[in-house]
Amino acid sequence: MWGELAARLDLGAGAIVGAPVVRRRLSDLKGCFADAAGYEAALALGDPLVYTVSSVGAGNGSGDLHYGLGVLYPGRVGDEYFMTKGHLHSRREAAEVYIGLRGEGRMLLEDEATGESRLEPLGEGRVVYVPGHAAHRTINTGDVPLVYIGVYPADAGHDYGAIADRNFRMVVVRREGRAMMVERDGLNVH
Ligand code: S6P
Ligand code: ZN
């Protein structure tokens, strides 16, 4: 017997109605920003909400899908835009589709095996396919909340540890008013 199959997005509230919500504040993003001093300075001023994710998992069988609505707020630590923690899927071959609903941002992808990095546009009217074995992190490069849906296999799982240990090789910063991807090593933070 099927359970609930339909859901309603409340884009004003930034949530899937009735779904559980995870809230991540700046203090939850320790180690994500290349500018560690800038991060501590920002935290000393307060601990803003950086993003929320409300998720729906209607089934947990092999072949089932889960999805989540992400709302990533605008902001920066130094030159670095607000971002999600980023993760690999525990089942590494599990892919994901991101569908941008509002705002303007980027998806940072990094192949776990080769280190190949890509920065793809993610925002209103944009779709990004996240292949298996790719660490992925969303970044808000605009002035309004970035709202998107991610659809992934029910058994994908989240592995935050690998990224927390070594972080992404690339960092997305604002330079001359636009977003660009630069190498973390050799990034001059001032
Ligand atoms: C889940 C999917 C998204 C993220 C969300 C928050 O596979 O990729 O729903 O959970 O963008 O990012 P993170 O890295 O904190 O899970
Ligand atoms: Zn994912």
Side-chain angles (χ1 to χ4, degrees):
M1 179 106 156
W2 285 328
E4 193 61 63
L5 299 180
R8 191 164 65 81
L9 305 182
D10 183 342
L11 293 183
I16 301 171
V17 177
V21 181
V22 172
R23 293 182 176 79
R24 302 278 189 214
R25 296 189 169 277
L26 192 58
S27 56
D28 296 314
L29 294 173
K30 192 166 178 56
C32 293
F33 293 91
D35 183 356
Y39 173 75
E40 294 302 333
L43 260 189
L45 298 175
D47 190 12
L49 183 63
V50 177
Y51 63 98
T52 64
V53 185
S54 52
S55 313
V56 174
N60 286 309
S62 149
D64 273 316
L65 299 171
H66 287 185
Y67 60 94
L69 180 77
V71 179
L72 175 57
Y73 292 96
R76 264 181 290 143
V77 168
D79 292 340
E80 296 169 84
Y81 300 95
F82 276 9
M83 63 181 89
T84 57
K85 284 161 82 89
H87 60 271
L88 286 145
H89 292 147
S90 308
R91 190 164 73 79
R92 289 292 197 267
E93 58 269 41
E96 182 164 2
V97 175
Y98 274 70
I99 303 160
L101 301 179
R102 284 188 176 172
E104 184 197 324
R106 304 283 189 279
M107 167 75 74
L108 177 62
L109 298 161
E110 182 177 312
D111 186 286
E112 185 179 32
T114 65
E116 177 185 351
S117 297
R118 292 274 284 271
L119 190 62
E120 303 289 356
L122 176 68
E124 188 171 339
R126 301 280 196 166
V127 177
V128 178
Y129 182 72
V130 178
H133 302 270
H136 45 290
R137 159 177 283 168
T138 50
I139 295 159
N140 187 338
T141 56
D143 300 325
V144 298
L146 172 65
V147 183
Y148 57 88
I149 286 185
V151 185
Y152 47 97
D155 60 357
H158 294 83
D159 177 359
Y160 293 101
I163 280 302
D165 289 347
R166 59 174 169 72
N167 219 322
F168 286 73
R169 289 168 57 161
M170 307 303 278
V171 176
V172 180
V173 292
R174 184 179 163 100
R175 291 274 160 81
E176 290 163 14
R178 50 185 285 266
M180 59 184 297
M181 182 169 77
V182 296
E183 298 222 7
R184 180 179 302 272
D185 292 347
L187 180 71
N188 290 321
V189 176
H190 28 224

